Amino acid sequence: MGDYIHLMGGYIGKLTAVLLQNFRWLRLTGTVREEVKRNVTGTLGTEPSRPSIAAQCVAAIACAELPQNLWPDVISLLKTNVTTPTSSEMLKESSLETIGYICQDIDARALDGRANDVLTAIVHGMRPEEVSANVRLAATTALLNSLEFTKTNFENEAERNIIMQVVCESTNSSEQRVKVASLQCLVRIMQLYYDHMLTYMQTALFQITLNAMKSDEAEVSMQGMEFWSTVAEEEFDLALDYEDAVERGETNAKCNSLRFMEQAAAHVVPVLLEAMAHHDDGDDEDEWTPAKAAGVCLMLAAQCVRDDIVNHVIPFFKHFQNPDWKYKEAAIMAFGSILDGPDPKKLTPMAKEALPQIVSAMSDNNVNVRDTAAWALGRVIDTCPELASDSKLLETVLPALSNGLHQEPRVANNVCWALVSLVKASYDSAVAAGTDASGQPETFSLSPVFEAMISELIKITERADGNQSNLRITAYEALMELIKHSPQDCYQAVRNTTVVILKKLESLLQMENQAASEADKAQVRDLQAMLCATLQSVTRKMQPADIPDVGEHIMTGLLQIMARATATKSNAVMEEALLAVACLAEHLGKGFDRYMAVLKPYLLGSLTNVEETQVCAAAVGLVTDLSRALEAGILPHMDDLVEKLILCLQVFSNIDNKPDLASIRIFSYLFDVKMYCWPAKMVKRAPLNSKLCNFHFGLQIISFHV
């Protein structure tokens, strides 16, 4: 028997692969299909291991046949397996697994009229009288997968009561897996059937989920928090819908929120705050923990209840001075988490009072405290940008940020974003005070330290540990933002940055040659792409008088990068290089013509790189920018360019019917240049399939205009 089961398991596994991947099942004769179905359903409950392979196979067949109105009795068969008193534990479990797989993969319409049988089997398996925890778990998981199909049942109060009763009872299971799955069901039910939850919230859900949040079992606790995160999200969306309706002038606008979060906040928030203080120094940064789940839930709660959140959180801020780093870090995290909710006018005085303590925390002995403090500082400046103009605050904030850049990568990463927030806020304040004809302010509050900030960020990109916590990439992104938001009196620092970036590009080309592993080479290419993106920011800020001289060096560097990207098929690098060239062409205008001969092979190659649509789209965008910059100077190159563009349209039209970015840009380009006399014969030369008829119509219009 054991050999038979082993053989059958291997056969079923292979059959499942055929069904799921090749869709060949329906091509078999009815006789063959019926024989296979009889054998595979007979295997349910006979396997010695979990999960059931037979369940996966039966579900695969059902998902293939039910939409075709075949095998109409499969759900009834599975229900009978579950509800028959003499069925074995394994038969009930595997049958419920099958139902779960079907509900997970099938189109809801294919189960019309079968929801009652599905629920009957599931509810039977979830009953407290069921002694097998494995059966109860399979039933609960099946319910989770079937909830989208049970709308009609949830609209019926009697049936809804039965479902809610068995789910709520399951949350009291002594088996953690069942308890967690039951709480997951409550989360999904709240998402799908929020409007029906008032009675259940009052009688059961509030206490069940509050107790879950307080659980010492991490998985249980996080599901309780997920429930209230879902409540907050639902009610936030309902509030937005109401506000939109009012703005549209709807006379009967009504907010459909049941205000669960608002009413429960006094009980839920303290539990969240306490959970945020319970984590270990050695917690993995990427691991999802109750403390992180609590922080997210608090953030969503703040967005939902808005000003009211402040009163629930203020008492916890006493822990800013707590010698226990866990509570200190939790207090700072709580402060940063609520900033999206209340009115900024109410927040600003509180933020101004808290900011010195947050800045002080950036020198704490514990890295978790310093990391969270850097994050919170950026959040404060984002939310209350007027603080960036407070010279006294800047006197303490700037040294703390400078020091933070040289701390652990995770801390320095958040400091980079805090710097970006600070620079944006200062720049926007300066713009509000007045700009020159170019739309740029003459100076801003950070001008005295701007060059030092640029220099510090460049140093961060060279840190040996820059690969950790994505620090090097973040530093380059911060550098780009600083350049973008620089006033006129910081121009020299921006100009000097060009030289630094070009030198880095040159050194990276050498580094790629020396890189031993593919991982090292990929890392170098990521940096090349970031440097090209940084050059875009620098080029946009360059003054016209400097463009010709600096442009020569920039173009030389970009051509070297494109040559290497072509040889190594580094698509991300090529995309950024093309975008950088477009920026340079825009500034040089007709003067860019001297580079066309050396650029053209890379441009044409990118236009034909239809497998990488982002590269192709960037190339099409560059063609547009070149046409605008060169004006009539583009005509000698038009035949080759238009031929490639038409070929692109043909390829993309054969992929699918949805317009993609490259196709849209091609259309835009063709209409943009319709005033230039590129040969209409290029249009006629390309054979058009049926999907290209729309393209042809557009091209005819262009031909008519020329």
Side-chain angles (χ1 to χ4, degrees):
M1 183 65 179
D3 291 339
Y4 168 78
I5 291 174
H6 178 76
L7 180 63
M8 195 64 181
Y11 167 74
I12 291 172
K14 292 178 181 177
L15 177 59
T16 301
V18 170
L19 295 173
L20 291 176
Q21 298 175 20
N22 300 321
F23 301 99
R24 297 173 179 171
W25 174 256
L26 295 175
R27 298 179 184 176
L28 300 175
T29 65
T31 303
V32 172
R33 285 189 283 110
E34 289 302 318
E35 179 66 15
V36 173
K37 286 189 291 186
R38 184 180 65 80
N39 287 328
V40 78
T41 53
T43 308
L44 289 171
T46 65
E47 299 161 282
S49 59
R50 296 183 174 91
S52 167
I53 299 174
Q56 298 173 40
C57 188
V58 173
I61 297 173
C63 288
E65 293 206 349
L66 285 173
Q68 307 299 322
N69 295 316
L70 302 173
W71 210 5
D73 60 341
V74 61
I75 299 296
S76 176
L77 169 66
L78 296 170
K79 180 193 73 171
T80 301
N81 287 349
V82 175
T83 57
T84 299
T86 57
S87 292
S88 67
E89 174 190 356
M90 291 298 292
L91 179 58
K92 289 189 286 186
E93 181 184 349
S94 59
S95 296
L96 286 164
E97 282 182 13
T98 306
I99 291 174
Y101 292 142
I102 293 172
C103 293
Q104 178 179 282
D105 296 331
I106 204 166
D107 187 304
R109 292 170 295 183
L111 287 181
D112 284 348
R114 298 180 174 89
N116 286 337
D117 283 346
V118 168
L119 282 175
T120 298
I122 289 172
V123 170
H124 189 89
M126 290 179 68
R127 294 174 308 148
E129 294 84 1
E130 175 56 60
V131 296
S132 169
N134 290 320
V135 172
R136 294 201 304 275
L137 177 62
T140 308
T141 303
L143 177 63
L144 181 61
N145 291 334
S146 69
L147 285 169
E148 291 187 33
F149 308 134
T150 57
K151 182 178 180 180
T152 302
N153 304 87
F154 264 87
E155 289 175 349
N156 182 300
E157 183 178 0
E159 295 182 23
R160 184 171 69 242
N161 286 341
I162 294 173
I163 298 170
M164 293 304 295
Q165 180 181 346
V166 295
V167 176
C168 290
E169 287 175 345
S170 292
T171 62
N172 294 320
S173 173
S174 58
E175 177 69 35
Q176 186 201 46
R177 297 175 301 160
V178 176
K179 183 181 295 187
V180 170
S182 300
L183 289 166
Q184 289 173 331
C185 286
L186 291 182
V187 172
R188 189 68 178 134
I189 288 169
M190 181 58 71
Q191 287 177 325
L192 295 171
Y193 306 112
Y194 171 88
D195 294 343
H196 297 300
M197 291 297 107
L198 179 58
T199 300
Y200 309 108
M201 182 66 82
Q202 293 170 339
T203 58
L205 298 184
F206 170 74
Q207 200 60 52
I208 287 172
T209 53
L210 193 65
N211 290 340
M213 291 168 63
K214 296 177 181 178
S215 173
D216 293 332
E217 298 173 327
E219 292 297 324
V220 174
S221 176
M222 289 190 290
Q223 285 305 317
M225 295 169 191
E226 182 67 19
F227 177 87
W228 284 102
S229 293
T230 300
V231 170
E233 286 181 308
E234 290 295 319
E235 296 187 342
F236 178 71
D237 289 343
L238 289 171
L240 287 182
D241 291 342
Y242 170 69
E243 291 170 2
D244 290 344
V246 171
E247 287 182 7
R248 292 194 300 268
E250 295 183 13
T251 56
N252 297 321
K254 178 183 177 182
C255 184
N256 294 316
S257 172
L258 299 172
R259 298 170 51 242
F260 292 145
M261 190 74 244
E262 180 183 333
Q263 298 172 65
H267 303 279
V268 171
V269 171
V271 178
L272 295 174
L273 294 171
E274 191 64 28
M276 290 169 67
H278 286 76
H279 60 95
D280 296 325
D281 201 2
D283 282 348
D284 189 334
E285 287 184 54
D286 298 324
E287 182 183 0
W288 191 242
T289 64
K292 293 176 183 177
V296 171
C297 188
L298 180 63
M299 187 178 295
L300 294 170
Q303 294 173 357
C304 180
V305 304
R306 302 185 180 180
D307 288 357
D308 290 346
I309 197 69
V310 175
N311 295 330
H312 301 303
V313 180
I314 278 182
F316 197 71
F317 293 157
K318 64 184 179 183
H319 294 299
F320 277 140
Q321 305 300 329
N322 196 319
D324 185 339
W325 73 265
K326 295 181 180 180
Y327 278 91
K328 186 174 186 178
E329 192 256 357
I332 298 171
M333 175 68 75
F335 186 82
S337 296
I338 67 167
L339 295 177
D340 281 339
D343 185 333
K345 293 180 181 178
K346 185 173 183 177
L347 277 178
T348 300
M350 186 171 66
K352 193 170 184 177
E353 182 180 347
L355 201 55
Q357 299 179 75
I358 294 174
V359 170
S360 176
M362 291 185 64
S363 301
D364 195 87
N365 292 328
N366 187 277
V367 64
N368 296 284
V369 174
R370 285 185 271 116
D371 185 28
T372 301
W375 168 80
L377 180 57
R379 295 271 297 152
V380 168
I381 297 170
D382 274 340
T383 308
C384 307
E386 60 271 24
L387 296 179
S389 302
D390 189 320
S391 57
K392 291 184 178 180
L393 283 177
L394 287 179
E395 289 176 4
T396 59
V397 168
L398 289 173
L401 291 175
S402 178
N403 180 56
L405 281 174
H406 301 281
Q407 295 181 20
E408 294 86 348
R410 58 188 283 198
V411 178
N413 183 289
N414 276 319
V415 170
C416 286
W417 289 121
L419 276 173
V420 170
S421 298
L422 185 62
V423 170
K424 285 182 177 179
S426 299
Y427 187 82
D428 290 344
S429 176
V431 168
T435 65
D436 61 12
S438 68
Q440 297 184 62
E442 177 62 30
T443 187
F444 71 164
S445 59
L446 297 175
S447 290
V449 296
F450 186 83
E451 187 169 5
M453 292 167 67
I454 292 286
S455 177
E456 287 293 300
L457 284 172
I458 290 174
K459 290 178 183 177
I460 297 306
T461 66
E462 299 168 350
R463 279 179 54 161
D465 57 358
N467 296 333
Q468 298 177 31
S469 299
N470 208 36
L471 175 57
R472 186 172 285 113
I473 299 298
T474 304
Y476 275 119
E477 290 174 346
L479 187 61
M480 286 187 282
E481 289 297 328
L482 263 63
I483 292 170
K484 179 181 177 182
H485 295 91
S486 59
Q488 292 283 8
D489 64 351
C490 295
Y491 175 70
Q492 192 58 44
V494 173
R495 192 181 189 282
N496 294 340
T497 304
T498 308
V499 179
V500 175
I501 298 301
L502 288 172
K503 288 181 178 178
K504 282 183 170 290
L505 273 175
E506 185 177 344
S507 66
L508 280 176
L509 289 172
Q510 297 173 357
M511 286 175 60
E512 187 176 0
N513 288 331
Q514 299 167 1
S517 68
E518 284 302 316
D520 290 341
K521 291 179 181 178
Q523 202 170 84
V524 171
R525 290 166 192 160
D526 287 343
L527 291 177
Q528 290 172 352
M530 288 304 304
L531 285 169
C532 289
T534 306
L535 276 179
Q536 295 171 43
S537 298
V538 173
T539 304
R540 290 190 180 100
K541 279 289 185 176
M542 295 298 290
Q543 293 179 357
D546 290 328
I547 282 292
D549 291 337
V550 177
E552 181 74 26
H553 298 293
I554 292 176
M555 194 63 197
T556 300
L558 289 173
L559 287 169
Q560 290 177 324
I561 285 291
M562 287 191 285
R564 182 61 57 83
T566 300
T568 59
K569 297 183 179 180
S570 305
N571 294 306
V573 177
M574 180 61 81
E575 179 188 354
E576 293 296 344
L578 291 168
L579 294 173
V581 171
C583 288
L584 187 59
E586 181 183 347
H587 280 77
L588 286 174
K590 295 179 181 179
F592 190 85
D593 184 63
R594 63 180 180 272
Y595 301 118
M596 283 300 296
V598 288
L599 172 66
K600 193 172 178 180
Y602 303 116
L603 179 56
L604 295 177
S606 297
L607 286 173
T608 57
N609 190 3
V610 291
E611 294 84 4
E612 295 292 334
T613 55
Q614 293 299 320
V615 174
C616 187
V620 175
L622 176 55
V623 172
T624 300
D625 292 328
L626 289 172
S627 298
R628 291 170 179 165
L630 299 177
E631 298 181 0
I634 195 69
L635 289 176
H637 313 285
M638 192 65 74
D639 278 13
D640 293 333
L641 293 174
V642 171
E643 182 176 24
K644 297 299 183 187
L645 293 174
I646 296 298
L647 290 174
C648 285
L649 288 177
Q650 287 180 300
V651 172
F652 289 132
S653 69
N654 286 323
I655 295 174
D656 55 44
N657 290 313
K658 295 181 180 179
D660 53 81
L661 181 61
S663 297
I664 293 170
R665 286 186 175 178
I666 291 172
F667 269 129
S668 176
Y669 168 71
L670 292 176
F671 279 98
D672 278 346
V673 299
K674 63 181 180 291
M675 70 287 296
Y676 300 120
C677 298
W678 50 269
K681 64 182 180 181
M682 296 305 304
V683 178
K684 299 174 183 177
R685 186 182 301 170
L688 301 178
N689 60 29
S690 59
K691 293 180 182 177
L692 274 173
C693 287
N694 291 334
F695 300 150
H696 185 54
F697 176 71
L699 298 177
Q700 284 180 320
I701 294 175
I702 298 169
S703 299
F704 175 79
H705 279 284
V706 301

